[in-house]
Amino acid sequence: MNAAAHLLKHSIHASTHSIDTANQCLNQIIGPHELVDLSHEEPLNFSFKGEQMGGIIIGDLIYGKDVVFKTQHQQDMHFYCISRPKIGKPVFRQEHGVFEASPGNAAIVSPFDKFEIEIERDCVQSFISISKPLLENTLSDLIQRPLDAPIEFNHIMSVQNERVNAWWSLLEYFGSYSKQEMNFDCLMNEIKHDFERILVKSLLLSQPNNYSHLLSDNHNNDPEFLKRALQYIHDNIQQNICSEDLERIAGVSKQKLSKAFRDRMKVSFNSYIRYYRLKCIYQELSSAQDKKNITNIAMKWGVNHLGRFSIEYKQQFGESPSDTIRKSILQQPVLLTRR
């Protein structure tokens, strides 16, 4: 898996006998949790060697002794996490069932899942985490509307699923460049979001989830007047868009257009406009390379009420605008080593 990550330029390396240092690393790549040491007679031999680009982290995870990983009831994790053991079979225990990851069948869990994982000392996991905003924004792009429920994947990524196997092959395809003496630094700022999107989009299309039926539909059956209205919103999102504009472009009554938005997009057209505007702002902030004026960016995309904007932004993405831009401009290689 490290080979597949060579394009990702921010290293996250941890090697430690300290459970506190291990928790620091796990907080970064997973989120809030509790790590339980099952035996104090032998030392922890934790290591994570991986890479990060934007909202995706890929690496190898080893605990080196028997442990239990627990989620917290009060807080959700920050990432969708995939575990594909090279050695061993971590056991996931939930209130309503048990499942395990194996070298043949990886396990995927959502940030809001509550579980315990029993992990044996010799277990070596290929580990992938994908940030919640990245996955949700990619899905909302694909279904062309805001999400009305969190994304829930089937927990097991079965080897019997041809598309899942293709997704793993896609990771290996990107990793094939590691065999060549090539430097992508001059292109990474321009292509990193394409790289992220390819991996996340293909995961959404391959692994069954509660939006799979909408992904297969892909809005091919949307009425033409709704498609015209959506295109007008996308093309003019920096301007003030009113219902009269949409009625004129769509060529139907406000009532008919409103019903189509409710039926097909699951929101009103005003809610869709707010959602799409926020998404455009998020994309600009998440690719910022220096300190920009958030107010100017928001106003550029047609925001008139800055106080309400900050509240709606955090509701949509789970972080403030300043958090988004901070993550973009402060992302640096990380090396955690403590013995």
Side-chain angles (χ1 to χ4, degrees):
M1 190 62 63
N2 285 338
H6 109 285
L7 289 178
L8 312 181
K9 295 300 182 181
H10 301 287
S11 297
I12 304 176
H13 289 177
S15 178
T16 183
H17 298 315
S18 164
I19 197 164
D20 289 337
T21 305
N23 279 325
Q24 290 178 30
C25 181
L26 292 172
N27 279 331
Q28 182 176 352
I29 67 175
I30 298 175
H33 70 285
E34 179 184 358
L35 188 61
V36 180
D37 188 343
L38 295 181
S39 171
H40 298 286
E41 296 177 359
E42 55 183 338
L44 184 75
N45 194 18
F46 175 91
S47 72
F48 180 82
K49 295 182 180 180
E51 309 289 340
Q52 176 176 12
M53 181 187 67
I56 299 177
I57 298 171
I58 305 176
D60 286 340
L61 177 60
I62 301 171
Y63 290 94
K65 68 175 302 183
D66 296 347
V67 296
V68 172
F69 176 97
K70 295 183 178 182
T71 58
Q72 295 186 353
H73 290 288
Q74 299 83 4
Q75 298 183 73
D76 291 343
M77 299 185 297
H78 300 153
F79 295 85
Y80 285 80
C81 299
I82 301 171
S83 174
R84 190 185 193 187
K86 297 178 179 179
I87 303 171
K89 295 183 178 181
V91 178
F92 292 71
R93 298 190 182 277
Q94 293 183 301
E95 183 178 353
H96 302 295
V98 178
F99 60 94
E100 68 178 22
S102 68
N105 292 319
I108 180 169
V109 292
S110 302
F112 51 84
D113 280 331
K114 304 303 176 185
F115 56 85
E116 296 182 2
I117 317 176
E118 297 174 1
I119 306 163
E120 296 183 344
R121 60 177 298 172
D122 59 349
C123 182
V124 179
Q125 302 176 66
S126 292
F127 181 84
I128 302 168
S129 63
I130 302 172
S131 77
K132 183 172 178 283
L134 173 59
L135 202 65
E136 291 179 341
N137 291 337
T138 303
L139 176 57
S140 66
D141 285 345
L142 291 174
I143 64 175
Q144 299 179 28
R145 65 170 175 83
L147 308 187
D148 52 16
I151 306 169
E152 297 184 58
F153 288 99
N154 290 7
H155 284 133
I156 298 301
M157 298 180 68
S158 173
V159 293
Q160 304 301 319
N161 184 331
E162 184 179 35
R163 288 193 165 198
V164 167
N165 288 332
W167 188 74
W168 291 115
S169 296
L170 183 63
L171 288 177
E172 294 303 322
Y173 171 77
F174 281 110
S176 66
Y177 289 107
S178 64
K179 300 175 183 177
Q180 306 176 38
E181 294 297 326
M182 302 177 70
N183 190 328
F184 290 89
D185 288 348
C186 60
L187 290 175
M188 284 309 296
N189 188 48
E190 286 79 10
I191 69 171
K192 70 176 183 178
H193 292 294
D194 296 321
F195 177 80
E196 290 178 287
R197 181 176 171 81
I198 289 170
L199 287 179
V200 175
K201 179 180 178 180
S202 57
L203 176 64
L204 287 163
L205 293 172
S206 60
Q207 179 62 11
N209 61 78
N210 56 326
Y211 286 91
S212 293
H213 64 292
L214 292 177
L215 290 167
S216 61
D217 176 39
N218 202 27
H219 289 273
N220 290 330
N221 297 322
D222 284 348
E224 289 300 321
F225 71 82
L226 178 59
K227 293 178 181 179
R228 290 195 298 271
L230 289 170
Q231 190 61 55
Y232 181 82
I233 292 172
H234 298 168
D235 292 343
N236 296 275
I237 195 62
Q238 293 181 334
Q239 312 302 321
N240 181 37
I241 301 173
C242 62
S243 59
E244 289 77 14
D245 294 329
L246 293 179
E247 287 181 71
R248 175 175 52 83
I249 295 300
V252 298
S253 69
K254 180 178 179 180
Q255 290 74 20
K256 186 172 183 178
L257 183 60
S258 179
K259 185 177 187 304
F261 266 88
R262 292 284 186 187
D263 290 345
R264 300 295 296 178
M265 314 305 291
K266 307 303 180 185
V267 293
S268 68
F269 51 71
N270 284 328
S271 294
Y272 183 82
I273 292 168
R274 287 195 296 272
Y275 145 77
Y276 191 76
R277 181 168 285 134
L278 288 171
K279 187 183 74 169
C280 291
I281 295 170
Y282 176 85
Q283 289 174 338
E284 181 163 350
L285 292 179
S286 63
S287 62
Q289 294 301 301
D290 52 30
K291 291 184 177 179
K292 296 183 178 180
N293 190 310
I294 294 175
T295 299
N296 289 344
I297 293 174
M299 294 180 68
K300 175 184 119 176
W301 288 102
V303 170
N304 296 318
H305 303 285
L306 294 174
R308 188 165 59 194
F309 155 70
S310 296
I311 295 172
E312 292 176 344
Y313 187 99
K314 189 164 187 177
Q315 290 174 341
Q316 180 70 42
F317 304 113
E319 61 188 32
S320 68
S322 59
D323 287 337
T324 303
I325 200 168
R326 177 181 55 81
K327 288 196 302 185
S328 176
I329 65 178
L330 295 181
Q331 192 178 71
Q332 296 293 335
V334 177
L335 177 61
L336 295 173
T337 302
R338 184 181 300 170
R339 291 290 181 181

